[in-house]
Amino acid sequence: MASFLASSRVPMSVVLVSFTLASLMGSSLGNFYQDFDIVWGDWRAMILNDGELLNLNLDQASGSGFQSKNEYLFGKIDMQLKLVPGNSAGTVTAYYLQSKGSAWDEIDFEFLGNLSGDPYILHTNVYSQGKGDKEQQFYLWFDPTADFHTYSILWNPQRIIFFVDGTPIREFKNMESIGVPFPKYQPMRLYSTLWNADNWATRGGLVKTDWSQAPFTASYTNFNANNSCVWFNGSSSCDTNNFSPPSWLSEDLDSANLDKLQWVQTNNMIYNYCTDAKRFPQGFPPECNMS
């Protein structure tokens, strides 16, 4: 997916916006006019309900996407999504943080559509310095098309944690001490796109997009990045004399959340690169050998 990320997923245009104290400390809850720019798909991306709702649409001509006005260097970011219902085979709804450049960092949620009645696959990945290949995939324990659910990224200097409705599903720790790059130097924007990927998304590309079901629609609400460090003009909003480090900047999983993480990974994980021996015949990546 790296080649698609680098080229076709979203135009990496830079949007110049006024910089206020409110934007310095993070985004207010749920106003897409204030927090995001539509960057792809023209009318297929629509902000509704006075900025409280955003819909992305996909038809045979094009998908659509948006990006945050702010860049972040660490944060706890929430978004509620309702995914494409019905026969969503071939479609991908991507929701991710990404930096600019050829050696980019990235933290991925991707939702791979499926035939009606079959579950979505939630695909996660972490890139640092342009290298990913750290995929874990999950079945969700609910229907993500019936209602809005909260998908969160906690990103601090020690770890990245993926949450679904407050339940941790994956933790990627900083393991620079054993030579594993970790994304902590490049600020990232938040992006989301809805696009056609029927060459690989559903059963390895065997099931194609049924365009008679178009337009396909994914919906977003209740964006929250109040707990974040906004990057602007080469400095961080968390890098001030009066800044008191918040708890999320060193947050770890407590015993209750570790139990929840273990439950999800035991019952809902369907792929883990760290157990794919055929993929790594010469031995697993070093982070896979850490407990």
Side-chain angles (χ1 to χ4, degrees):
M1 267 175 286
S3 60
F4 185 84
L5 293 167
S7 57
S8 305
R9 191 188 264 182
V10 173
M12 290 298 176
S13 56
V14 177
V15 181
L16 297 178
V17 297
S18 61
F19 190 58
T20 65
L21 181 60
S23 67
L24 181 69
M25 297 310 296
S27 302
S28 59
L29 183 64
N31 192 307
F32 287 98
Y33 286 119
Q34 292 179 7
D35 298 327
F36 291 95
D37 291 301
I38 305 300
V39 293
W40 179 42
D42 300 320
W43 53 267
R44 296 173 185 84
M46 298 179 290
I47 298 176
L48 306 167
N49 296 357
D50 295 322
E52 294 182 357
L53 178 71
L54 190 153
N55 285 347
L56 292 183
N57 290 279
L58 165 68
D59 59 29
Q60 200 161 6
S62 178
S64 53
F66 61 87
Q67 70 178 34
S68 62
K69 294 179 185 291
N70 286 331
E71 291 182 293
Y72 306 96
L73 187 60
F74 307 125
K76 191 171 186 180
I77 295 175
D78 306 322
M79 182 83 81
Q80 291 192 327
L81 281 72
K82 183 163 66 173
L83 300 180
V84 175
N87 181 3
S88 58
T91 71
V92 172
T93 305
Y95 161 60
Y96 58 104
L97 288 162
Q98 188 183 59
S99 66
K100 298 184 288 289
S102 59
W104 75 96
D105 294 342
E106 184 172 338
I107 304 169
D108 272 349
F109 277 106
E110 291 189 309
F111 303 90
L112 313 185
N114 217 329
L115 295 169
S116 297
D118 290 341
Y120 263 83
I121 292 175
L122 171 52
H123 176 100
T124 66
N125 206 347
V126 175
Y127 285 74
S128 186
Q129 300 173 25
K131 181 174 174 54
D133 301 329
K134 298 176 177 62
E135 302 90 346
Q136 289 184 359
Q137 295 183 338
F138 305 84
Y139 285 145
L140 295 167
W141 51 94
F142 53 83
D143 179 359
T145 72
D147 204 350
F148 286 95
H149 292 269
T150 304
Y151 302 91
S152 307
I153 296 169
L154 169 65
W155 170 37
N156 65 34
Q158 295 81 38
R159 57 189 45 83
I160 295 162
I161 305 174
F162 298 77
F163 292 89
V164 176
D165 287 340
T167 296
I169 65 167
R170 178 178 185 179
E171 180 181 28
F172 184 80
K173 295 180 179 179
N174 184 334
M175 290 173 279
E176 290 176 301
S177 61
I178 60 169
V180 180
F182 185 84
K184 69 175 189 180
Y185 302 106
Q186 300 186 68
M188 296 195 263
R189 293 187 193 276
L190 182 68
Y191 298 88
S192 192
T193 56
L194 174 59
W195 49 285
N196 177 46
D198 66 4
N199 60 321
W200 65 270
T202 306
R203 299 182 186 174
L206 294 177
V207 182
K208 301 300 182 182
T209 303
D210 180 1
W211 293 110
S212 71
Q213 304 297 311
F216 303 97
T217 303
S219 300
Y220 303 74
T221 192
N222 288 339
F223 167 68
N224 185 0
N226 288 334
N227 295 316
S228 62
C229 299
V230 175
W231 187 264
F232 184 78
N233 276 354
S235 64
S236 169
S237 61
C238 297
D239 210 8
T240 66
N241 292 333
N242 297 323
F243 178 74
S244 178
S247 59
W248 65 261
L249 202 52
S250 58
E251 185 174 336
D252 198 353
L253 292 176
D254 59 20
S255 59
N257 274 315
L258 284 171
D259 287 344
K260 292 177 182 178
L261 176 68
Q262 183 61 48
W263 185 90
V264 171
Q265 296 207 336
T266 299
N267 293 283
N268 291 73
M269 181 185 286
I270 60 172
Y271 178 79
N272 182 1
Y273 76 108
C274 281
T275 61
D276 191 346
K278 291 183 179 179
R279 182 175 173 185
F280 301 105
Q282 305 303 316
F284 289 109
E287 66 269 19
C288 295
N289 299 318
M290 303 294 289
S291 58

